[in-house]
Amino acid sequence: MATTKTLISNLNSLLCNGIISEAEHTRMKNRIIKAEAKAAEDQVIADLVPQLRETMVPDVKYKISDLVLHVLGIKAPCHGYKETKEEQKYRDGVAKPRILAALEILGASKYGSGAQTRYSFGEAAPEFEANGEEGEEDSQES
């Protein structure tokens, strides 16, 4: 795929030659810039998935603030840290959504809602299924 620089250069040529209008140029340029920013953000999120996988132990439920702390090193007030408004804005608006998107890619399960929400992955099969299978074998032997 063409680079952003090449695409914008081509757009500028089209504008200079009168093939597209200023409004079309601006609209297309904004689309290119947004697509590049989205691709960069998607890559940042994809890079968090291995870190989450290393941090999380299967079958353990984690609070989002604990995952943000362990993966990104950003403390929250629940960790005894007095954060500024700017830090809170970044944690809530950037860090948490990135971790949530990475959890979604990882296929993590969500439990609860609000402040009680917990995340986990790699859940083992419930024990009663294994017991039920053994019971079926016993009943077939009789």
Side-chain angles (χ1 to χ4, degrees), residues 12-58:
N12 290 337
S13 295
L14 292 171
L15 177 63
C16 290
N17 292 325
I19 298 172
I20 62 174
S21 68
E22 183 72 36
E24 290 172 317
H25 176 270
T26 303
R27 184 174 47 83
M28 287 183 215
K29 183 178 176 183
N30 287 340
R31 279 187 179 178
I32 292 167
I33 292 169
K34 283 180 185 178
E36 181 182 36
K38 176 149 178 33
E41 181 68 14
D42 289 346
Q43 185 58 48
V44 168
I45 291 168
D47 292 343
L48 292 176
V49 173
Q51 294 174 7
L52 270 176
R53 194 174 282 128
E54 290 173 11
T55 300
M56 295 177 75
V57 176

Side-chain angles (χ1 to χ4, degrees), residues 76-108:
C78 64
H79 300 116
Y81 178 71
K82 176 72 173 147
E83 64 186 358
T84 65
K85 287 288 183 189
E86 303 256 334
E87 290 170 325
Q88 179 187 8
K89 186 176 178 181
Y90 180 80
R91 183 176 49 83
D92 291 342
V94 177
K96 280 184 184 179
R98 283 180 178 169
I99 294 292
L100 291 172
L103 284 167
E104 188 174 315
I105 291 170
L106 189 60

Side-chain angles (χ1 to χ4, degrees), residues 128-142:
F128 66 88
E129 287 183 12
N131 292 338
E133 290 173 3
E134 290 173 11
E136 289 175 9
E137 291 174 6
D138 292 341
S139 63
Q140 289 174 355
E141 292 175 5
S142 302

